[in-house]
Amino acid sequence: MSTASAVLTEQLIAAHALPEEGYAQLIREHTEEDALRLRDEAVRLRRAIYGNAVYTRGLLEISNICKNDCLYCGIRRSNKKLERYRLRPDEILASAEKGHALGFRTFVLQGGEDGYYTDELLIPLIREMKARWPDSAVTLSLGERTDESYKALYEAGADRYLLRHETADAAHYARLHPADMSFENRMRCLQTLRETGYQVGCGMMVGSPFQTAEHLAKDLHFIKTFQPDMCGIGPFIPHKDTPFRDKSAGTLALTCFLLSVIRLIHPPVLLPATTALGTIHPRGRELGIASGANVVMPNLTPVRFREQYALYDNKICTGEEAAECRGCLEARMTSIGYEIVTDRGDVKGGHARREPT
Ligand code: 5AD
Ligand code: FES
C-alpha cells in the first residue's frame, strides 16, 4: 500500500501542482524514495526543455553598503564590523569586459540598497553595457526601488531583475526583517517589475529562522501562481555578526528537494544552484544541478572585495580570480555530464524583451 507521501509525489508529477496543504504534508513526510522519484522527474523535464545545457551568469557584487537591516544578512547596516566598499561604473565595466571575454553573456549587478546607485548613475552604465555587448543580458539585483526607477532602468536596457520575495508569509517576513520593511511593498515591487517588462526572479532561503513546512508551502504556491522567469533558492547560513548568529543553517537535502519540486511545478523556470548551496557542501552546486537546477553564477567581482560581500559565513570563491571560478564551474558541470554554454540563457517559452512604451 502506498503511503500518503508517495501518493502526493505521484499527484505532483501528474498535475505539476498540489493544493497548498499538500505541499506542506509532502515537505514534512517525504521519504528518500519520494525525493529520488521527484529528482528524476525534475531532471527529465529540465532535459526536455534545456537539454544538458547549464546557463551561466557573471555575478558582480557591486556594493556591500545597505540601508536595510535584514536580520539574517551579513551586510545589514547594523553590522559595524564590516568594511564597506562600492564599485564605480568604470570598475563595473572593466569586470564585465573580462567576463565577456571569458564567455559570459549575462551580467548580474547585485548589491545592497546603496543610495550611491541613483538612476542618474545607473542609466548611462546600463546603456554603455548594452552598447558594448549587445549580445548580452543585463540583470539587476539592487533591491526595492520606486516604480519610476524600475521603469527608467528598463528603458535604459536592463533585461532582468532579481528580487527574492524571501518568504511568502507576511508574519514570517516580519520575523526576518525590521519593522521598517514591508512584505506588501516587496510583493508590490515584484508585480511592478513584471508589469514593466522585465524577466523577473523571486526566491527564498531554505531553513531560515522560524520557517515551517507551511511557510515553504506558501512559497511554492506563490511560485506556482507568480510563474517567475527565475527563482533563486539556497540554504540560510548564519552570519556571526547578525542577530541570527546562533540559528542553524538550512540543509542540503531540503534545498535539493525543493529545487526538484520547483522544477516540477514550473518546468521552464531558470533555477540557479547557488553559491550558498556550494558553501554548505563541497559538491552542493553539482547536487543542485542534478536535482533540477540549470544555472550557475560564477563570481566576477574583483577579488579584493569578495571577502567583504559576506552575506553569510564561510562563503566560497572569495579568493579566486574570475577565470578560475568560470573554469572551476565548467569542470564541475562536465564532471556530471552537463555543459556550460555561451548564451544569454533566456527562459524558454518566456516573452521576448518588450520594447519600452
Ligand atoms: N544565508 C543565506 N542567504 C542569505 N541571503 C542573505 N543573507 C543570507 C544568509 N545569511 C540571501 C537573501 C538575499 C540574497 C541576495 O542572499 O535571500 O535576497
Ligand atoms: Fe569559484 Fe569554484 S566556482 S572557485
Side-chain angles (χ1 to χ4, degrees):
M1 206 189 72
S2 298
T3 61
S5 71
V7 171
L8 287 166
T9 296
E10 295 311 317
Q11 194 183 335
L12 177 55
I13 289 168
H16 291 201
L18 287 177
E20 202 174 298
E21 178 42 44
Y23 292 129
Q25 192 181 353
L26 190 60
I27 289 164
R28 278 192 304 265
E29 298 176 13
H30 70 273
T31 62
E32 181 91 354
E33 203 180 317
D34 300 327
L36 289 176
R37 171 98 176 99
L38 290 169
R39 187 193 71 181
D40 289 348
E41 206 53 33
V43 167
R44 199 184 61 75
L45 267 179
R46 195 256 336 263
R47 209 175 276 286
I49 304 172
Y50 294 103
N52 71 343
V54 171
Y55 294 132
T56 183
R57 284 80 171 84
L59 181 63
L60 280 159
E61 297 157 336
I62 64 172
S63 170
N64 72 351
I65 299 174
C66 192
K67 71 174 170 58
N68 290 333
D69 219 14
C70 306
L71 277 78
Y72 46 84
C73 185
I75 68 169
R76 65 201 302 269
R77 68 160 187 266
S78 296
N79 182 3
K80 305 291 183 221
K81 293 197 180 157
L82 188 65
E83 199 184 317
R84 305 282 171 166
Y85 76 93
R86 57 164 71 103
L87 300 185
R88 295 183 312 266
D90 61 299
E91 296 172 305
I92 295 172
L93 289 166
S95 293
E97 179 86 57
K98 265 194 203 168
H100 194 268
L102 289 169
F104 291 105
R105 296 295 178 267
T106 291
F107 302 106
V108 182
L109 308 189
Q110 183 173 92
E113 292 192 17
D114 177 353
Y116 170 77
Y117 298 95
T118 57
D119 294 348
E120 291 65 38
L121 180 143
L122 289 169
I123 289 168
L125 172 64
I126 294 165
R127 287 212 177 108
E128 175 72 17
M129 292 180 77
K130 296 297 290 188
R132 278 209 218 172
W133 307 295
D135 59 353
S136 298
V138 171
T139 303
L140 303 177
S141 181
L142 301 171
E144 297 179 19
R145 303 177 71 95
T146 62
D147 293 4
E148 294 70 36
S149 172
Y150 286 146
K151 187 155 189 285
L153 302 179
Y154 184 74
E155 285 174 358
D159 301 280
R160 309 185 185 132
Y161 205 103
L162 306 177
L163 183 72
R164 289 193 178 179
H165 63 286
E166 310 297 357
T167 169
D169 181 88
H172 186 218
Y173 190 92
R175 299 190 74 176
L176 301 179
H177 299 94
D180 62 359
M181 287 181 73
S182 108
F183 175 71
E184 285 68 31
N185 195 52
R186 193 90 179 165
M187 289 298 181
R188 203 190 53 80
C189 284
L190 282 167
Q191 288 300 340
T192 302
L193 287 164
R194 156 78 42 87
E195 286 159 17
T196 305
Y198 289 95
Q199 292 177 21
V200 182
C202 64
M204 70 280 182
M205 293 177 288
V206 177
S208 60
F210 320 115
Q211 186 181 62
T212 63
E214 283 69 27
H215 295 146
L216 284 169
K218 273 196 179 176
D219 289 321
L220 293 173
H221 184 70
F222 171 66
I223 291 164
K224 180 73 193 174
T225 48
F226 185 65
Q227 304 257 302
D229 302 288
M230 291 87 71
C231 183
I233 76 159
F236 161 74
I237 302 173
H239 184 291
K240 60 184 186 333
D241 300 315
T242 64
F244 290 164
R245 62 181 65 85
D246 297 323
K247 304 286 183 199
S248 34
T251 66
L252 174 79
L254 186 55
T255 306
C256 288
F257 175 78
L258 290 167
L259 285 169
S260 302
V261 173
I262 293 168
R263 173 66 59 203
L264 278 162
I265 63 179
H266 184 29
V269 72
L270 293 162
L271 204 51
T274 56
T275 306
L277 193 55
T279 297
I280 57 161
H281 187 282
R283 288 173 55 81
R285 287 165 301 178
E286 292 89 318
L287 294 166
I289 297 289
S291 301
N294 65 335
V295 173
V296 290
M297 299 172 73
N299 203 326
L300 271 185
T301 310
V303 175
R304 66 185 185 284
F305 298 123
R306 285 193 193 173
E307 290 267 358
Q308 287 157 257
Y309 198 78
L311 306 180
Y312 45 81
D313 289 336
N314 306 315
K315 188 165 165 241
I316 54 170
C317 297
T318 53
E320 316 294 328
E321 289 294 340
E324 291 163 12
C325 273
R326 169 100 192 175
C328 164
L329 275 164
E330 271 170 2
R332 286 172 183 270
M333 294 304 115
T334 310
S335 79
I336 53 169
Y338 291 82
E339 189 195 355
I340 287 196
V341 292
T342 296
D343 186 294
R344 278 172 48 118
D346 288 296
V347 68
K348 296 266 180 187
H351 301 288
R353 188 187 154 79
R354 199 174 68 218
E355 283 320 306
T357 44

